[in-house]
């Protein structure tokens, strides 16, 4: 399998609960009712937030910013008709650290959104994506 190919297996457990295993061997449980685990649509938000967070933290570390904590709050707004796809997704980054330079955070968020976050780039083809950030002094 090439470096450009990823795979996963999803197995039914019971009711509408499934266990997914990535090709790298990591597992997560998903629940169509969102009672015992995240729903598949929630997993998309988690994927977007974690993908973008990897970018933002990595870029800030390369810029030698003293980041202590980074949180990404993701809100997805869905259409009312089935299939209830996302129409808007907003990612808000809360970056905590010492003497964090705002221009570095702004640049990191923009680079993630415009260039690096493959999940967000895939979503933006049909979803209105937006981003914001806050900086908190440690």
């Amino acid at each position: 399998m090439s470096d450009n190919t990823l795979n996963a297996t999803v197995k039914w457990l019971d009711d509408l609960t499934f266990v997914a295993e990535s090709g790298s061997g990591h597992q997560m449980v998903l629940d169509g009712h969102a009672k015992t685990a995240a729903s598949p649509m929630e997993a998309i938000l988690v994927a977007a937030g974690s993908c973008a967070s990897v970018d933002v933290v990595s870029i800030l570390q390369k810029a030698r910013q003293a980041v202590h904590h980074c949180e990404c709050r993701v809100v997805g707004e869905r259409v009312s008709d089935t299939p209830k796809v996302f129409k808007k997704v907003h990612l808000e980054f809360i970056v905590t650290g010492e003497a964090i330079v705002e221009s570095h955070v702004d640049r990191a968020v923009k680079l993630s959104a415009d260039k690096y976050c493959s999940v967000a780039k895939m979503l933006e083809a049909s979803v209105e994506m937006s981003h914001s950030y806050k900086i908190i002094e440690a």
Side-chain angles (χ1 to χ4, degrees):
M1 195 173 323
S2 78
D3 290 340
N4 291 329
T5 303
L6 298 175
N7 64 73
T9 303
V10 179
K11 295 179 184 175
W12 179 42
L13 295 176
D14 60 28
D15 192 23
L16 291 180
T17 305
F18 299 80
V19 63
E21 184 170 337
S22 66
S24 58
H26 298 90
Q27 294 184 340
M28 71 173 116
V29 177
L30 298 161
D31 181 353
H33 298 299
K35 291 179 182 174
T36 61
S39 73
M41 292 301 281
E42 289 172 321
I44 290 171
L45 296 180
V46 168
S50 57
C51 182
S53 293
V54 166
D55 297 335
V56 168
V57 168
S58 176
I59 292 165
L60 291 174
Q61 287 174 333
K62 288 176 185 167
R64 298 188 176 154
Q65 296 298 289
V67 177
H68 296 216
H69 182 77
C70 181
E71 180 176 316
C72 182
R73 297 177 184 166
V74 188
V75 177
E77 183 181 337
R78 297 170 74 178
V79 300
S80 56
D81 297 331
T82 302
K84 294 183 178 182
V85 298
F86 290 115
K87 64 179 176 180
K88 294 180 182 180
V89 172
H90 181 77
L91 291 84
E92 177 187 34
F93 298 89
I94 297 93
V95 179
T96 304
E98 296 173 32
I100 301 293
V101 177
E102 182 176 359
S103 62
H104 285 298
V105 176
D106 187 65
R107 178 177 177 271
V109 170
K110 284 180 179 168
L111 280 171
S112 175
D114 297 339
K115 185 175 182 178
Y116 293 115
C117 180
S118 51
V119 176
K121 293 302 286 180
M122 192 169 50
L123 287 173
E124 77 178 14
S126 59
V127 178
E128 180 184 321
M129 301 294 293
S130 59
H131 302 77
S132 63
Y133 60 85
K134 293 179 185 172
I135 300 169
I136 299 172
E137 184 65 26

